[in-house]
Each structure stands twice: as structure tokens, then as C-alpha cells.
Amino acid sequence: MLQEALINIAAYAEVDEADVYFTWEKKSLKIDIRDKGKGFDKEAAIANHRMKGVAAMEQRMKQVGGEFSITSELAQGTTVTLLLPIQEGGMER
């Protein structure tokens, strides 16, 4: 997920850098990926069926019990937020 978001920034945002923030909570991990690139009109992109990759990321997050959101504003950049559940006691091995 993180890799896909960064690939999209490299391909579409027209910026040289992005910020990634991790917030650990007791039962979740929140990841915010932010760029200050060209941004886009989300509603227009949805209407023109240009959000297939985003829809795929959202579906994968739902499959693992997580949440996905994306916000964007023209000339202001884009933020992708991933919220992943954390099982108590960590992962089984």
C-alpha cells in the first residue's frame, strides 16, 4: 500500500518529495502520505473513471479490516491515509 502511494506520487504529483507519518495507537497504525504536488479534482477523477488504482488500494485495505482515504486539492497536493488494525499481542508465528 505504502509503496503504491509513493509510486503514484512519483508518477503524477510532479514533486520531488513526500512526507510519511506513522501514528501508533494501542489497536491501530495510521499512515499518512502527503505531497505538496499538483493535486487533482477527486470528483472529476471519479466521474472520468480514473480512480481504478485508488479503488484497488481501498479494497485491499477493507480486506484486512483497515480503512483508506484520499484527499486532494488542485495546486495544494494530496494526502493518502491508511488505518491498519493491530492485533493484541502482535502477529502469530
Side-chain angles (χ1 to χ4, degrees):
M1 246 356 145
L2 178 60
Q3 180 180 354
E4 289 177 65
L6 293 172
I7 288 170
N8 283 341
I9 290 168
Y12 302 112
E14 298 180 4
V15 294
D16 294 337
E17 60 185 57
D19 297 313
V20 180
Y21 301 93
F22 295 89
T23 306
W24 292 92
E25 299 287 335
K26 184 174 182 175
K27 296 189 178 197
S28 65
L29 168 62
K30 180 180 175 187
I31 304 171
D32 288 306
I33 306 112
R34 299 178 187 157
D35 70 61
K36 293 180 181 166
K38 67 179 185 176
F40 64 95
D41 181 333
K42 184 177 172 182
E43 298 306 318
I46 291 169
N48 292 321
H49 306 288
R50 293 184 9 227
M51 299 284 286
K52 291 178 184 173
V54 170
M57 286 191 282
E58 183 172 18
Q59 181 62 32
R60 284 195 298 282
M61 286 298 295
K62 286 180 181 178
Q63 288 174 341
V64 298
E67 297 175 22
F68 172 92
S69 67
I70 185 167
T71 58
S72 189
E73 188 175 332
L74 289 172
Q76 299 297 312
T78 301
T79 299
V80 172
T81 300
L82 310 171
L83 186 61
L84 299 159
I86 298 175
Q87 292 179 336
E88 205 168 306
M91 294 174 44
E92 292 184 25
R93 294 180 187 230

